């Protein structure tokens, strides 16, 4: 029954359709006070409070990322200097862990603009793999498990030739490269296939001493933790590549991968700009608000994303010692951007805005302005100084509109 429920929820179309029993009435969201940020000074925040909050997220939500996984090995497997019609250089990099041979490793695709010597870079995982992100037909097809999907021509859990480019509208490579930014991406399923037993073939089993027999305990990591770890390994590689300005890395993700980019940005301060695109429940949306997806729904459908303890807050989100304004605040004082979509009620657009608003006092400790406005802005009206926010026309997705705001925001903060 639970598998069936998970399967149904995994269909994005269905996830976006209002479902019975799910609240979409602002008058009924509940009015639970948020946990106190306990603000004192910027120094105190950095030294004490921030690490305390990271630990709360480890203990109650995502689990702790093991620090002793091993040293990654990087192999550049192919370089093409005239990719995208000469606009870019494209590289493939295989990242593996020699001391964990059970993990098959991940294949990173990196595009750097030929017009720039050392480019700031957006780093993000994809739902479909490199061949789905790019429209270039010589990108190797990903061979790992994928969720069956007729529209994307994923058959018997494998991508096919017809799956090429199926995610390209979410990755406007030419637009990004023309603005002087690089893009590094990999398939999230290379790190851990996204289903209840996926961890058995992924990094988590390869790392755990009990392998595929591991019984996950409270405080141990889930899939989001593993995916976030993968983002940091991409950053490790980028630090070795001269075509990338590794002092300017932005981490980006959509939906479940937006929850992942927030967690990666929280743990790894090399990501100087953090982007949450429609991350919703378990991401930017305040968990105490009962609107759209709830802690109960997400922990029932996707328990493998989180540490087991998170499930205990299913019927009582208010008992959880964190809420998502604290998640956003973990990026401070670095720039962060939260994007909602006007039809994406499932993700609770207002809850996403409010977490930015209530994280803003942390930025104030550093003498910086957060979202600046008090009320959620009108549709298609980007706001914010160090915490950017917009609610774009349309559905749960990543569009050129979203990217335009991220590129403008990055250019403004990085002077590029
Ligand atoms: C939904 C899930 C959301 C979001 C989304 C996605 O089914 O309920 O939290 O993560 O999937 O990743 O597309």
């Amino acid at each position: 029954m639970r598998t069936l429920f998970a399967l149904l929820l995994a269909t994005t179309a269905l996830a976006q359709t209002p479902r019975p029993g799910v609240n979409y009435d602002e008058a009924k969201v509940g009015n639970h006070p948020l946990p106190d940020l306990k603000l004192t000074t910027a120094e105190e925040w950095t030294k004490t409070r921030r690490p305390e909050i990271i630990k709360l997220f480890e203990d109650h939500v995502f689990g702790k990322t093991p620090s002793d996984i091993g040293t990654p090995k990087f192999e550049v497997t192919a370089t093409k200097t005239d990719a995208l019609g000469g606009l870019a250089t494209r590289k493939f990099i295989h990242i593996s862990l020699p001391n964990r041979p059970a993990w098959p490793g991940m294949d990173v695709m990196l595009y750097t603009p030929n017009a720039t010597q050392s480019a700031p870079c957006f780093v993000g995982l994809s739902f479909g793999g490199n061949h789905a992100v790019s429209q270039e037909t010589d990108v190797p097809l990903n061979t790992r498990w994928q969720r069956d999907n007729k529209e994307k021509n994923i058959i018997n859990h494998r991508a096919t030739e017809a799956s090429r480019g199926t995610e390209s509208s979410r990755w406007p490579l030419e637009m990004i490269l023309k603005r002087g930014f690089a893009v590094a991406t990999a398939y999230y399923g290379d790190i851990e296939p996204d289903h209840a037993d996926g961890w058995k073939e992924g990094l988590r089993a390869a790392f755990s001493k009990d392998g595929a027999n591991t019984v996950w305990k409270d405080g141990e990591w889930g899939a989001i933790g593993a995916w976030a770890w993968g983002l940091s390994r991409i950053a490790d590689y980028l630090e070795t590549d001269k075509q990338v300005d590794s002092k300017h890395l932005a981490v980006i993700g959509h939906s479940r991968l937006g929850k992942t980019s927030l967690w990666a940005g929280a743990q790894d301060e090399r990501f100087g700009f953090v982007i949450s695109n429609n991350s919703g429940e378990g991401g930017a949306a305040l968990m105490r608000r009962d609107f759209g997806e709830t802690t109960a729904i997400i922990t029932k459908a996707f328990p493998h994303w989180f540490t087991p303890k998170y499930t205990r807050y299913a019927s009582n989100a208010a008992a959880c010692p964190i809420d998502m304004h604290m998640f956003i605040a973990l990026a401070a004082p670095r720039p962060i951007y939260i994007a909602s979509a006007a039809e994406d009620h499932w993700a609770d657009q207002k809850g996403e805005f409010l977490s930015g608003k209530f994280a803003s006092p942390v930025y104030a400790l550093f003498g910086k302005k957060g979202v600046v406005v008090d009320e959620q802005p009108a549709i298609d009206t980007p706001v914010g100084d160090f915490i950017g926010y917009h609610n774009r026309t349309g559905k749960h997705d990543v569009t050129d509109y979203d990217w335009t705001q991220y590129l403008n925001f990055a250019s403004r903060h990085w002077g590029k």
Side-chain angles (χ1 to χ4, degrees), residues 55 72 83 95 116 188 224 246 331:
K55 178 142 191 346
I95 303 186
T116 312
Y188 79 140
I224 289 178
S246 61

Side-chain angles (χ1 to χ4, degrees), residues 6-12 14-16 19 127 170 188 194 224 254-259 278-283 293-294 297-298 301-302 305-306 344 346-347 396:
L7 207 81
L8 284 173
L9 266 179
T11 320
T12 318
L14 196 106
Q16 298 311 311
R19 289 187 297 127
F127 286 89
R170 289 181 172 175
Y188 79 140
D194 187 9
I224 289 178
H254 170 60
S255 206
R256 66 198 67 185
L257 295 176
K259 312 179 208 299
N278 306 178
S279 64
E281 189 69 29
E293 189 173 26
T294 58
I297 297 171
I298 204 170
F302 307 107
W305 289 355
F306 304 98
D344 189 13
W346 184 247
H396 186 70

Side-chain angles (χ1 to χ4, degrees), residues 34-332:
L34 295 178
D36 190 356
L37 288 165
K38 298 189 189 159
L39 299 180
T40 51
T41 61
E43 258 163 49
E44 191 60 24
W45 173 266
T46 307
K47 218 176 92 218
T48 317
R49 189 58 179 144
R50 189 177 183 283
E52 273 171 17
I53 294 177
I54 294 255
K55 178 142 191 346
L56 290 174
F57 275 89
E58 291 172 345
D59 291 350
H60 300 272
V61 188
F62 299 114
K64 189 171 168 57
T65 308
S67 55
D68 51 347
I69 298 180
T71 310
K73 179 177 163 195
F74 310 122
E75 289 160 83
V76 179
T77 54
T79 303
K80 184 180 180 182
T81 53
D82 60 346
L84 301 175
L87 177 65
T89 294
R90 188 190 69 200
K91 281 183 197 154
F92 292 103
I93 305 102
H94 185 70
I95 303 186
S96 59
L97 288 172
N99 65 335
R100 314 264 173 214
W103 181 51
M106 62 199 283
D107 289 298
V108 177
M109 177 169 72
L110 170 66
Y111 281 99
T112 49
N114 285 335
T116 312
Q117 277 206 335
S118 159
C121 186
F122 287 91
V123 185
L125 300 173
S126 74
F127 286 89
N130 299 332
H131 65 272
V133 167
S134 177
Q135 288 180 311
E136 295 191 298
T137 51
D138 56 344
V139 172
L141 271 192
N142 189 279
T143 58
R144 304 214 61 205
W145 184 94
Q146 303 217 353
R147 188 175 310 287
D148 277 347
N149 185 322
K150 274 209 189 106
E151 238 173 77
K152 295 188 175 159
N153 292 292
I154 296 166
I155 297 159
N156 295 330
H157 296 299
R158 292 295 180 271
T160 62
E161 278 299 320
S163 312
R164 292 189 175 282
T166 46
E167 207 174 332
S168 58
S169 69
R170 289 181 172 175
W171 296 88
L173 296 172
E174 302 207 349
M175 168 176 158
I176 303 165
L177 274 283
K178 279 183 183 152
R179 296 264 313 244
F181 291 86
V183 174
T185 181
Y187 174 50
Y188 79 140
D190 280 2
I191 306 159
E192 174 169 329
D194 187 9
H195 61 90
D197 286 329
W199 62 271
K200 294 181 182 171
E201 302 156 37
L203 174 76
R204 284 196 291 148
F207 173 72
S208 170
K209 66 173 176 10
D210 295 330
N213 297 318
T214 305
V215 179
W216 296 104
K217 295 196 269 304
D218 284 351
E220 291 180 333
W221 59 343
I224 289 178
W227 298 327
W229 175 91
L231 287 164
S232 286
R233 300 297 72 76
I234 299 177
D236 293 346
Y237 166 75
L238 295 174
E239 288 188 317
T240 71
D241 192 312
K242 290 198 171 54
Q243 282 171 300
V244 172
D245 168 7
S246 61
K247 295 274 170 273
H248 292 101
L249 301 181
V251 65
I252 181 164
H254 170 60
S255 206
R256 66 198 67 185
L257 295 176
K259 312 179 208 299
T260 304
S261 63
L262 286 170
W263 186 224
Q267 297 175 93
D268 189 338
E269 293 178 87
R270 289 175 300 174
F271 294 118
F273 173 25
V274 182
I275 303 165
S276 150
N277 193 93
N278 306 178
S279 64
E281 189 69 29
L286 290 177
M287 71 185 282
R288 277 164 179 72
R289 279 171 54 88
D290 175 8
F291 190 100
E293 189 173 26
T294 58
T295 315
I297 297 171
I298 204 170
T299 54
K300 191 166 180 193
F302 307 107
H304 66 282
W305 289 355
F306 304 98
T307 197
K309 192 168 193 177
Y310 193 49
T311 312
R312 270 191 247 161
Y313 303 106
S315 54
N316 191 8
C320 191
I322 58 90
D323 209 317
M324 295 312 185
H325 61 316
M326 297 157 93
F327 202 16
I328 302 304
L330 290 174

